């Protein structure tokens, strides 16, 4: 059985025994012979001689085990060369194909992978920059609104301390006019009459100046008690008055542009 298999399949056995041949196994033309037809003939003769020597060695190695195979090698010395060339050619083709496929895969996958990573990085940077930009806009808008509010309040309430000082003057003028007896104001007493009229005119004028700058009086007799505008000095029951209303104003209050500058000092009605 083994001798028959060796006779039928000599190419496979020889190729497996010899192994792959190097790509550049042929000697250069300069070593074999000169150029032209004579050089090529010498190269062919040298090649056939080398192959015949290899076949002889293989026959000597295979003769004890495979006599038929050694006989076939003796009759056809070129068989070894053909099998070796076929095997080397097939291996070289497979290596070239696998290498080209790997290179194509690497070349096709590398740009896509790089572009995908670059896209992810750019999207992340865009998200961070957009978030920072929105936060910066919000901060700038808050600062602008706060600054605008402070400027408006400075314009409105910049004279607050000055108005407080003038309120004392207004209180003194009001007390001065109230302290003069009305029955004494007659033509027989022109000096007192002139003094009274002068005090009244001064009080009216100062109230006009107060209104011009947004300062208004608080005289809440009969109004509901408001802790933001009034300050209760006492509580007293009073018939005909609703509990929680103001029965008496001890001192006039003032408001500057809607903000209480000085609360009115009042007496509040309580239940009997």
């Amino acid at each position: 059985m083994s001798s028959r298999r060796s006779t039928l399949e000599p190419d496979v056995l020889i190729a497996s025994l010899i192994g792959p041949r190097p790509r550049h196994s042929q000697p250069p033309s300069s070593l074999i012979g000169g150029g032209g037809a004579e050089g090529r003939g010498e190269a062919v003769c040298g090649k056939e001689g080398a192959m015949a020597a290899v076949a002889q060695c293989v026959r000597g190695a295979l003769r004890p085990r495979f006599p038929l195979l050694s006989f076939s090698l003796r009759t056809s010395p070129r068989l070894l060369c053909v099998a070796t060339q076929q095997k080397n050619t097939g291996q070289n083709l497979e290596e070239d194909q696998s290498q080209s496929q790997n290179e194509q895969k690497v070349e096709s996958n590398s740009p896509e992978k790089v572009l995908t990573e670059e896209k992810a990085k750019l999207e992340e940077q865009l998200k961070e920059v957009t978030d920072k930009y929105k936060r910066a806009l919000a901060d700038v808008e808050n600062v602008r609104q706060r600054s605008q509010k402070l400027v408006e309040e400075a314009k409105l309430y910049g004279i607050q301390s000055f108005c407080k000082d003038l309120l004392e003057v207004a209180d003194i003028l009001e007390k001065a006019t109230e302290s003069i007896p009305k029955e004494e104001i007659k033509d027989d007493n022109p000096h007192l009459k002139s003094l009274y009229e002068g005090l009244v005119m001064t009080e009216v004028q100062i109230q006009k100046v107060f209104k011009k700058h947004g300062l208004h009086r608080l005289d809440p007799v009969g109004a509901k008690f408001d802790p933001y505008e009034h300050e209760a000095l006492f509580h007293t029951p009073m018939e005909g008055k609703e509990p929680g209303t103001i029965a008496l104003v001890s001192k006039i209050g003032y408001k500057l542009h809607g903000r209480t500058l000085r609360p009115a000092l009042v007496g509040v009605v309580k239940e009997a």
Side-chain angles (χ1 to χ4, degrees), residues 99-259:
Q99 186 176 2
S100 62
Q101 289 178 358
N102 293 331
E103 291 179 355
Q104 289 178 358
K105 287 181 180 179
V106 172
E107 291 177 357
S108 61
N109 293 333
S110 296
E112 294 179 357
K113 187 176 181 181
V114 170
L115 290 176
T116 304
E117 294 178 354
E118 190 68 21
K119 180 182 177 183
K121 290 180 181 179
L122 291 176
E123 288 179 352
E124 187 67 23
Q125 291 179 0
L126 178 62
K127 188 183 294 184
E128 292 179 359
V129 171
T130 304
D131 184 63
K132 290 181 180 179
Y133 176 70
K134 290 181 179 180
R135 291 178 182 275
L137 284 180
D139 292 339
V140 171
E141 183 64 20
N142 291 335
V143 171
R144 187 189 66 80
Q145 292 179 359
R146 192 180 299 111
S147 300
Q148 185 176 0
K149 185 177 180 181
L150 291 175
V151 170
E152 291 177 355
E153 289 181 354
K155 289 180 179 178
L156 293 176
Y157 306 108
I159 59 174
Q160 182 173 349
S161 59
F162 179 69
C163 290
K164 277 186 176 181
D165 294 337
L166 286 179
L167 292 181
E168 299 297 331
V169 178
D171 292 340
I172 293 172
L173 285 174
E174 185 178 1
K175 289 180 180 180
T177 54
E178 290 177 357
S179 64
I180 298 175
K182 300 297 187 291
E183 61 275 6
E184 297 292 334
I185 303 172
K186 297 179 181 179
D187 295 336
D188 297 339
N189 195 353
H191 297 287
L192 183 59
K193 184 179 180 180
S194 299
L195 178 61
Y196 177 77
E197 291 177 354
L199 290 175
V200 171
M201 291 175 63
T202 305
E203 186 180 3
V204 171
Q205 186 63 31
I206 198 171
Q207 291 298 329
K208 287 182 180 180
V209 173
F210 285 170
K211 289 181 180 179
K212 180 180 179 181
H213 293 279
L215 190 62
H216 301 278
R217 287 167 56 95
L218 289 176
D219 192 3
V221 177
K224 279 282 187 182
F225 177 77
D226 186 358
Y228 294 100
E229 296 181 356
H230 312 139
E231 183 178 347
L233 295 178
F234 58 89
H235 293 79
T236 179
M238 188 174 293
E239 295 182 359
K241 297 287 185 179
E242 183 181 357
T245 58
I246 297 173
L248 179 67
V249 177
S250 176
K251 193 174 184 179
I252 299 295
Y254 286 89
K255 293 179 71 174
L256 179 62
H257 295 292
R259 179 187 294 181

